[in-house]
């Protein structure tokens, strides 16, 4: 059972959208939330919704850019804007506008970005964050502004003015304004698994073990052990879906067959063999076919999902564990604006067709919710829709499998 404790009635009515496990959505004035229920006034009627059936609570907070230029990245996935960061060999402290002072052990911190985000460096910085480094990586901007570079060593101290960096046995004081960010050496993750994710209106993400509401302030017990407060009107979303869903792109495929990139199997005849074609055009998880960017559908970017090229068939073993699949399907923006393309999509469960449609570049992204009750094997077939394979990049974006209640 979800360990969420949101106590007390709100002092001021708060509009909310409540998304449920069964795909329904409720909209109304949020009245109260307890360890067992979410209570709203919907169309003039008080409605209690079981907390165990709630996936997401969303608030009408307007997203805004944060004026805080620095960012903390925690090992539990939390990301918090800050105005100042100081680190010693054992702990890190930071000042934030929304949460006040943040204190954490160094083991809880994955990385810090000391400079304002530079969109030109985003892809490189993301790559640094994914590295499993044995030493601290001091990341600096190249003097000509063409990108990022790094040095591997040991960061012993961080202040507002400098970073003390041990390189080859020598301590080097590096001016803080020269450091774009620091990715710390991987250590064991000491954070307690969190079941709640709280998102602020300015883009902070907090992994929490519990959260309470006292007046107009949320009190959150964070995964690394600290308690913080955040104003109700600064919260954009509370995600309770952890442990209730599984992303399709995170599940290993039971079977995966790629039949080539054109119907006649002639496009690369004599040029590229079948194995090389699969390497170049085989299905990708959480990135596009070219592996350089996230999935995008009409300007909306997705961190999870599948990008599948015609003609590909994939299967997953569901073990009758899930009640539904939710996703958004469409031809990826990377190729959607390069011409008119058509892809055939068929989704089946245990041999029975659950969904079948031709997807074109002119279609709006199509939201799907398919029942998976009692289904053992899920099959997805992406086929040629117009006799051509040119730019057949079908996204099955944000594909979530809802775990059946009796399997939780």
């Amino acid at each position: 059972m979800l360990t969420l404790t949101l106590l007390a009635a709100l002092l001021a009515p708060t509009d909310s959208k409540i998304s449920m496990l069964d795909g329904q959505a409720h909209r109304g004035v949020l009245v109260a939330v307890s360890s067992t229920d979410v209570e709203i006034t919907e169309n003039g009627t008080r409605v209690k919704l079981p907390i165990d059936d709630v996936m997401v609570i969303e608030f009408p907070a307007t997203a805004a850019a944060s004026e805080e230029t620095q960012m903390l990245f925690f090992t539990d996935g939390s990301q918090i804007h800050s105005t100042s960061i100081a680190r010693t060999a054992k702990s890190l402290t930071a000042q934030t506008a929304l949460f006040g002072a943040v204190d954490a052990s160094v083991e809880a911190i994955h990385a810090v970005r000391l400079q304002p985000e530079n969109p030109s460096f985003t892809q490189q910085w993301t790559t640094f964050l994914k590295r499993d480094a044995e030493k601290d990586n001091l990341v600096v901007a190249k003097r000509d502004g063409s990108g990022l570079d790094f040095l591997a060593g040991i960061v012993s101290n961080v202040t507002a003015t400098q970073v003390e960096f041990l390189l080859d046995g020598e301590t080097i004081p590096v001016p803080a304004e020269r450091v774009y960010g620091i990715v710390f050496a991987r250590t064991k993750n000491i954070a307690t698994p969190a079941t709640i994710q709280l998102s602020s209106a300015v883009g902070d993400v907090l992994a929490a073990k519990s959260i309470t509401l006292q007046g107009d302030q949320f009190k959150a017990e964070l995964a690394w052990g600290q308690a913080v407060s955040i104003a109700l009107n600064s919260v954009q979303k509370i995600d309770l879906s952890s442990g209730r869903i599984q992303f399709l792109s995170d599940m290993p495929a039971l079977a995966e067959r790629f039949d080539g990139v054109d119907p006649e199997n002639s496009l690369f005849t004599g040029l590229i063999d079948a194995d090389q074609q699969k390497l170049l055009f085989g299905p990708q998880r959480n990135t596009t076919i070219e592996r350089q960017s996230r999935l995008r559908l009409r300007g909306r970017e997705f961190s999870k999902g599948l990008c599948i090229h015609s003609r590909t068939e994939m299967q997953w073993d569901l073990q009758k564990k899930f009640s539904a699949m939710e996703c958004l399907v469409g031809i990826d923006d990377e190729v959607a604006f390069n011409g008119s393309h058509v892809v055939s999509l068929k989704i089946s469960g245990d041999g029975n067709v659950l969904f079948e449609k031709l997807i074109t570049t002119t279609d709006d992204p199509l939201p799907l919710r398919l029942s998976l009750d009692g289904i053992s094997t899920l099959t997805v077939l992406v086929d040629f829709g117009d006799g051509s394979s040119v730019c057949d990049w079908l996204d099955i974006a944000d594909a979530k499998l809802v775990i059946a209640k009796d399997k939780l």
Side-chain angles (χ1 to χ4, degrees), residues 167-284:
L167 180 65
D168 297 330
E170 180 181 356
T171 298
I172 303 172
V174 182
E177 66 268 18
R178 284 278 298 126
V179 180
Y180 186 76
I182 305 165
V183 180
F184 298 106
R186 289 287 190 182
T187 60
K188 63 179 182 179
N189 188 345
I190 64 168
T192 302
T195 57
I196 305 165
Q197 187 178 84
L198 183 150
S199 301
S200 78
V202 296
D204 300 295
V205 177
L206 293 177
K209 295 183 289 184
S210 65
I211 189 168
T212 63
L213 182 63
Q214 299 177 4
D216 62 351
Q217 294 285 315
F218 282 109
K219 308 289 185 181
E221 182 187 0
L222 304 181
W224 66 87
Q226 184 181 356
V228 299
S229 298
I230 178 172
L232 172 63
N233 61 9
S234 295
V235 176
Q236 189 174 59
K237 182 170 70 172
I238 299 174
D239 189 340
L240 313 176
S241 64
S242 177
R244 303 180 180 195
I245 64 169
Q246 191 162 347
F247 285 98
L248 189 61
S249 58
D250 291 338
M251 296 176 60
L254 178 66
E256 184 177 306
R257 192 183 78 238
F258 176 71
D259 293 333
V261 296
D262 67 295
E264 303 300 326
N265 200 25
S266 60
L267 186 61
F268 293 109
T269 299
L271 299 175
I272 302 176
D273 62 25
D275 289 340
Q276 187 69 13
Q277 286 189 46
K278 184 175 181 179
L279 182 64
L280 292 173
F281 300 103
Q284 297 301 313

Side-chain angles (χ1 to χ4, degrees), residues 48-179:
K48 282 189 176 182
L49 306 170
I51 194 71
D52 287 343
D53 293 340
V54 175
M55 292 275 281
V56 179
I57 304 173
E58 295 176 273
F59 303 91
T62 302
S66 174
E67 296 181 359
E68 300 166 290
T69 58
Q70 300 179 334
M71 179 74 85
L72 303 174
F73 299 83
F74 290 77
T75 57
D76 61 28
S78 298
Q79 298 183 16
I80 301 177
H81 291 89
S82 68
T83 54
S84 66
I85 294 173
R87 181 187 185 271
T88 66
K90 294 184 177 181
S91 64
L92 180 143
T93 60
Q95 293 298 319
T96 72
L98 287 183
F99 315 111
V102 170
D103 297 287
S105 66
V106 294
E107 290 87 357
I109 305 297
H110 172 47
V112 296
R113 196 190 70 229
L114 300 180
Q115 306 301 329
E117 182 177 13
N118 185 331
S120 299
F121 299 158
T122 297
Q123 185 173 326
Q124 277 188 285
W125 175 245
T126 300
T127 300
F128 279 114
L129 291 176
K130 293 179 179 178
R131 287 184 176 178
D132 193 9
E134 295 183 357
K135 293 184 177 181
D136 299 334
N137 286 348
L138 191 74
V139 182
V140 298
K142 295 179 180 179
R143 293 190 180 278
D144 62 2
S146 61
L148 298 175
D149 205 346
F150 78 102
L151 293 172
I154 298 174
V155 173
S156 58
N157 198 34
V158 179
T159 69
T161 59
Q162 71 177 27
V163 175
E164 292 183 4
F165 188 62
L166 182 63
L167 180 65
D168 297 330
E170 180 181 356
T171 298
I172 303 172
V174 182
E177 66 268 18
R178 284 278 298 126
V179 180

Side-chain angles (χ1 to χ4, degrees), residues 333-367:
D333 283 2
E334 189 74 22
V335 296
F337 304 111
N338 295 335
S340 179
H341 313 300
V342 184
V343 176
S344 172
L345 172 63
K346 181 166 72 173
I347 302 175
S348 304
D350 292 339
N352 298 312
V353 176
L354 305 176
F355 174 83
E356 187 170 16
K357 190 178 189 300
L358 291 176
I359 309 294
T360 75
T361 51
T362 57
D363 293 335
D364 290 331
L366 179 64

Side-chain angles (χ1 to χ4, degrees), residues 309-342:
H309 198 289
S310 305
R311 184 183 191 267
T312 301
E313 183 177 85
M314 302 179 71
Q315 291 185 335
W316 291 266
D317 181 10
L318 303 188
Q319 302 177 2
K320 299 183 180 180
K321 180 181 176 182
F322 303 97
S323 62
M325 180 174 79
E326 297 180 352
C327 61
L328 197 67
V329 298
I331 294 179
D332 192 89
D333 283 2
E334 189 74 22
V335 296
F337 304 111
N338 295 335
S340 179
H341 313 300
V342 184

